[in-house]
Amino acid sequence: MRKEVILVTGANGEIGHGLIKKIGEENRAWVVALDLKPLDEELMPLCERFIQGDILDKMLLGRLIAEYEIKTIYHLASILSTKSEYNPETAHEINVEGTLNLLRLGVELSQWQGCSVKFIYPSSIAVYGLPDIETKRKEGKIKEQRWCQPITMYGCNKIYCEHLGRYYSKYYRQLAKDPIKNNIDFRCIRFPGLISADTIPTGGTSDYGPEMLHNAAQGIPYDCFVRPDTKIPFMAMPDAIKSLLLLENAPAKQLTQLSYNVTSFSPSALEIKNCAKEAFPNASINFKINQNRQTIVDSWPEDVDDSPAKRDWGWMPDFNMQQSFNDYFIPAMRRLY
Ligand code: AKB
């Protein structure tokens, strides 16, 4: 008997940590975790199985079909925006070819299991590309259809994979003599910057937020690489996990689109600094602008319109800015450090 499981790629990443803990805590399902790096000890007991492997390894993915009844795929593996700019072609290979392999696996599983496999895909505000600060300010809460002209390889990868998800869920091999019966059920969330109290991000451009807080909590001086007035949307990690599980469990008939914005608060970099200083008065936080990374963040929206997510699947963050700092980050970071 093949065990019914949820497959999580990029399991050792920030979202992977939060998701596997939540699924484990609530005993929601068996998790098969996949990551290039060894899985954190604390996550091991929460997984049915951990596979240290590469999403570019088609043989490895093919074996999963024989061993497990995979109902849902959380495809979290990805190279983030800053790291992608240092090696765009490798980022393309992992972010796009890797996703293509998982979408293909999803279609094969749907065929094999005779029902659609849910494919949950974390996209990003990086799909947006605002041409200048004036337009960014004027646009305010951006809607999903607007300004999808990303300026980073990562953003290009994410928007393309959203299109691939639509193709694999609705139009895959549409001219084939033997049309596919069961496609995948592709569902996507465009995440803002995420702040986790348990893990520190690697390779992103919204990282200045969490880095500032984690450094302040450890008393390590921090040079913020964006201007104090820089604004993009952020969300506390528990809300990111909540949004993924809410979307996964939403009845398909309620979903009117494939990709959804979600958010919680849009602080300026200076506001994040002030919150960090309030909690850790001795923290040393300065602004040392990296113009190239600033240009990337300036192309991202200062806020997003997440009313479709609220309408279609009852999305609502549990932590606004104050609660994120006072009830989640600061207490957890005090415990951690
Ligand atoms: C990044 O900075 O690359 C990510 C993102 C906003 O998607 N955190």
Side-chain angles (χ1 to χ4, degrees):
M1 255 302 285
R2 290 177 306 141
K3 215 169 214 169
E4 201 171 291
V5 299
I6 283 184
L7 173 64
V8 179
T9 73
N12 213 34
E14 285 209 280
I15 302 178
H17 268 78
L19 182 67
I20 292 173
K21 277 191 196 156
K22 188 74 175 170
I23 293 174
E25 268 162 30
E26 299 183 354
N27 207 8
R28 277 172 178 253
W30 300 99
V31 170
V32 170
L34 176 63
D35 202 292
L36 214 46
K37 297 198 193 89
L39 193 68
D40 257 359
E41 283 309 311
E42 62 170 341
L43 298 179
M44 274 299 192
L46 304 171
C47 297
E48 161 69 13
R49 168 123 171 255
F50 168 61
I51 302 168
Q52 185 166 0
D54 190 336
I55 57 174
L56 298 176
D57 180 346
K58 291 182 181 151
M59 292 293 283
L60 178 153
L61 296 177
R63 278 201 299 280
L64 291 172
I65 298 179
E67 293 178 41
Y68 296 103
E69 186 97 4
I70 297 173
K71 286 296 178 207
T72 301
I73 297 174
Y74 277 96
H75 177 42
L76 310 178
S78 175
I79 306 286
L80 299 183
S81 57
T82 286
K83 202 168 172 190
S84 295
E85 287 310 304
Y86 291 118
N87 201 327
E89 287 71 28
T90 304
H92 174 89
E93 218 185 320
I94 294 161
N95 293 344
V96 173
E97 300 299 332
T99 301
L100 207 60
N101 291 347
L102 269 297
L103 288 166
R104 177 100 189 90
L105 173 70
V107 165
E108 282 178 30
L109 284 164
S110 302
Q111 301 302 301
W112 182 268
Q113 296 165 180
C115 63
S116 284
V117 166
K118 280 185 188 158
F119 194 102
I120 312 297
Y121 181 68
S123 182
S124 162
I125 53 171
V127 301
Y128 299 112
L130 280 305
D132 50 56
I133 294 284
E134 293 65 42
T135 313
K136 171 170 175 160
R137 298 223 167 97
K138 222 171 49 239
E139 195 69 26
K141 279 180 177 294
I142 201 166
K143 292 185 183 315
E144 285 94 347
Q145 304 76 14
R146 302 205 26 102
W147 297 106
C148 292
Q149 291 136 24
I151 69 165
T152 61
M153 172 54 90
Y154 170 75
C156 296
N157 298 161
K158 287 293 185 184
I159 194 77
Y160 177 50
C161 289
E162 288 187 26
H163 291 314
L164 283 177
R166 185 165 34 75
Y167 172 75
Y168 273 81
S169 56
K170 295 182 187 305
Y171 309 105
Y172 183 60
R173 296 180 71 232
Q174 58 204 299
L175 299 183
K177 283 206 179 39
D178 56 342
I180 295 277
K181 286 198 211 58
N182 296 300
N183 281 349
I184 59 167
D185 174 353
F186 181 83
R187 302 177 180 200
C188 167
I189 289 179
R190 287 181 184 166
F191 280 119
L194 298 179
I195 303 181
S196 168
D198 307 325
T199 52
I200 297 184
T202 50
T205 318
S206 65
D207 295 5
Y208 64 87
E211 285 172 354
M212 206 188 281
L213 293 165
H214 280 271
N215 281 46
Q218 296 169 86
I220 301 171
Y222 182 69
D223 287 336
C224 178
F225 58 79
V226 297
R227 289 186 319 271
D229 69 327
T230 301
K231 229 184 192 189
I232 57 172
F234 278 97
M235 195 152 81
M237 189 56 80
D239 274 331
I241 306 306
K242 174 186 176 184
S243 68
L244 286 169
L245 294 168
L246 267 179
L247 181 61
E248 182 207 343
N249 293 294
K253 64 181 184 319
Q254 276 174 221
L255 305 179
T256 60
Q257 52 196 69
L258 292 181
S259 298
Y260 289 91
N261 285 333
V262 293
T263 191
S264 176
F265 52 97
S266 283
S268 68
L270 182 60
E271 284 171 311
I272 299 176
K273 172 183 176 176
N274 295 343
C275 288
K277 292 285 284 184
E278 204 180 302
F280 309 104
N282 304 330
S284 158
I285 301 169
N286 300 304
F287 290 94
K288 197 160 164 244
I289 316 307
N290 172 319
Q291 194 44 52
N292 296 331
R293 296 180 87 183
Q294 181 73 60
T295 305
I296 292 174
V297 176
D298 285 344
S299 76
W300 293 351
E302 66 177 37
D303 200 350
V304 297
D305 174 350
D306 59 1
S307 55
K310 289 174 174 159
R311 178 197 62 217
D312 291 1
W313 42 279
W315 159 244
M316 188 56 73
D318 291 333
F319 298 86
N320 63 22
M321 181 159 163
Q322 239 33 55
Q323 293 157 324
S324 294
F325 284 95
N326 302 343
D327 309 345
Y328 171 57
F329 301 140
I330 308 301
M333 284 177 192
R334 286 216 168 95
R335 277 194 307 277
L336 187 63
Y337 301 117

